[in-house]
Amino acid sequence: MANLVAIVGRPNVGKSTLFNRLTKSRQAIVSDEAGTTRDRQYGKCDWNGREFSVVDTGGWVVNSDDVFEEEIRKQVMVATEEADLVLFLVDIKNGVTDLDMDVALILRRTKLPVILVANKADDGKDLYYQYDFYKLGLGDPMCVSAATGSGTGDLLDLVLEKMPGREEEDTESGIPRFAVVGRPNAGKSSLINAFIGEDRHIVTDIAGTTRDSIYTKYDKFGFDFYLVDTAGIRRKNKVSEDLEFYSVMRSIRAIENSDVCILMIDATRGIEAQDMNIFQIIQKNNKSLVVVVNKWDLVEDKSQIVIKTFENAIRQRMAPFVDFPIIFASALTKQRIFKVLETAKQVYLNRKARVGTTKLNEVMLPLIESFPPPSIKGKYIKIKYCTQIPDTQIPTFVFYANLPQYVKEPYRRFLENKIRENWPMTGCPINVFVRQK
């Protein structure tokens, strides 16, 4: 399971800039105005062959003076509950503030490794101000400039050094894990209760009732796997309590540690931005996907036209990955819930599928010959051989060509689509690489 690193600190110290730098993205919006970050940002960082998740906690401060400082304290408390390591960001140009002292007090009490990061050290003169931060009692400050990238390599080395090894959950290995994820109140706990036939989980109409990721061993009807009920993920403007962030971190954890994600969508509300956020986390982690449109019993018009329109809308939003099953079900009336399990199991088996090299070449090479990669600068690209790499997390295919650098993304998608047409890979992501022959 991946480690989780939380970036904490008062507003406008550069948390989003550092997040973008570590995840090599421009996901978080950066602005000089305090409190710009609204939604929690989640990304992956890869350094020296080790991968970990990064969460930017910038986004959950209520913009009101009397509760402003209290909210920052809350978010620090929650981050220390769930993260494996905390990056405490301070502004080297502003020096130590009262709020920094308050945050440092909370962090000194925690058993977690904490790295004090003095940001905005853009030139050599700024380094003289770092000694002011020793009064926070958190050891040597790491001077970095998130904007220019200066010092971030040393920071990442220190993160890997201090990062504790993750202990795996006490669940049997080799048994697939199906995570039930989705917006709060989409019916995740109801679905699991319908599966196991008992009210094992608290089911209420309050969004976000589930605070934790709960594992349920399932071994009925010849199925044998774990179901993971995750905490509800809610949008920033609905957040009114500090446990919210805790829920999001647990949901991220459950997705990272699952094999197949069952994404619940509320049929009465359709696909919303929050569903897309969860889908992107699933995609970033290369997890298999089954989409369940829940509360189908509440929809009056169940004609084929409505079903087709709903399916098309979902696939359009989630393109280019469109090869996943969509099931219209109701956890309340138990309509088609067993099909959800059957489909999830099939998607898991698809993930483990192996295609023989001979068969792969027999099917793919004639297709490539009929539709070769477009020539670039008068050079013809020839693909002579392909194979599937064994023992990979997701099905991975390598095509050997004379000029692999000229094979662009559209053609790789064409190859992926042809593999999907000829072998059952529904629901699981595929890697397609082109290498020098």
Side-chain angles (χ1 to χ4, degrees), residues 34-279:
T36 303
T37 308
R38 287 280 186 270
D39 288 327
R40 291 169 211 99
Q41 299 293 342
Y42 160 82
K44 292 277 194 189
C45 178
D46 195 319
W47 186 251
N48 285 349
R50 273 182 73 184
E51 195 181 62
F52 55 89
S53 303
V54 184
V55 179
D56 169 13
T57 63
W60 21 286
V61 173
V62 178
N63 283 326
S64 136
D65 295 339
D66 54 337
V67 288
F68 192 65
E69 296 185 11
E70 184 53 36
E71 286 298 319
I72 292 174
R73 288 188 199 102
K74 275 185 186 176
Q75 72 192 47
V76 173
M77 293 290 287
V78 174
T80 55
E81 286 284 316
E82 262 305 294
D84 298 304
L85 182 141
V86 174
L87 297 179
F88 175 28
L89 226 61
V90 289
D91 185 335
I92 201 165
K93 288 181 163 62
N94 283 2
V96 177
T97 66
D98 291 346
L99 202 45
D100 291 333
M101 294 297 281
D102 288 348
V103 172
L105 185 65
I106 297 168
L107 293 176
R108 284 202 303 272
R109 288 174 182 156
T110 176
K111 294 187 175 75
L112 277 183
V114 177
I115 298 174
L116 177 62
V117 184
N119 190 27
K120 306 190 184 178
D122 300 322
D123 58 50
K125 292 175 193 166
D126 295 323
L127 299 177
Y128 294 116
Y129 305 126
Q130 65 176 299
Y131 304 107
D132 192 26
F133 294 100
Y134 280 98
K135 67 172 79 161
L136 295 175
L138 290 168
D140 299 328
M142 277 291 298
C143 295
V144 304
S145 169
T148 63
S150 165
T152 48
D154 294 338
L155 173 63
L156 284 167
D157 286 340
L158 189 61
V159 167
L160 295 192
E161 196 183 303
K162 290 196 166 200
M163 189 109 72
R166 289 286 310 155
E167 287 176 28
E168 286 298 313
E169 272 90 355
D170 188 22
T171 52
E172 294 167 49
S173 59
I175 296 179
R177 293 168 181 176
F178 298 164
V180 183
V181 296
R183 262 199 332 249
N185 215 13
K188 298 182 292 295
S189 294
S190 303
L191 183 73
I192 291 191
N193 287 345
F195 286 152
I196 61 180
E198 58 187 72
D199 286 345
R200 156 87 179 267
H201 298 164
I202 307 162
V203 180
T204 70
D205 289 335
I206 303 165
T209 306
T210 310
R211 296 288 180 213
D212 224 332
S213 303
I214 309 165
Y215 284 83
T216 307
K217 181 78 177 289
Y218 193 99
D219 51 5
K220 293 179 183 176
F221 315 110
F223 288 102
D224 197 14
F225 47 78
Y226 285 103
L227 281 167
V228 190
D229 184 9
T230 56
I233 303 177
R234 210 177 326 172
R235 282 186 63 79
K236 160 70 186 79
N237 57 8
K238 299 284 197 324
V239 174
S240 58
E241 51 187 0
D242 55 321
L243 284 164
E244 201 54 44
F245 185 58
Y246 189 81
S247 301
V248 172
M249 287 171 126
R250 276 293 162 101
S251 301
I252 290 168
R253 281 269 169 88
I255 289 171
E256 286 181 339
N257 204 34
S258 67
D259 298 300
V260 179
C261 293
I262 298 169
L263 174 58
M264 305 277 290
I265 292 174
D266 187 332
T268 60
R269 296 175 65 175
I271 186 162
E272 295 184 345
Q274 197 63 11
D275 298 312
M276 290 306 300
N277 290 344
I278 300 164
F279 170 69

Side-chain angles (χ1 to χ4, degrees), residues 283 286-288 321 323 350-351 353 355 360 387-388 392-399 409 412-433:
Q283 237 190 350
N286 280 330
K287 300 301 177 187
S288 300
F321 179 46
D323 186 20
N350 290 351
R351 194 182 177 90
V355 180
L360 187 67
T387 185
Q388 184 181 356
T392 49
Q393 193 192 9
I394 60 172
T396 302
F397 297 87
V398 180
F399 290 80
E409 186 58 37
R412 279 204 291 272
R413 268 211 293 275
F414 162 77
L415 294 174
E416 181 185 323
N417 291 340
K418 291 301 169 191
I419 291 168
R420 289 185 186 279
E421 277 173 28
N422 288 282
W423 292 278
M425 299 279 174
T426 303
C428 69
I430 294 177
N431 277 337
V432 173
F433 297 114

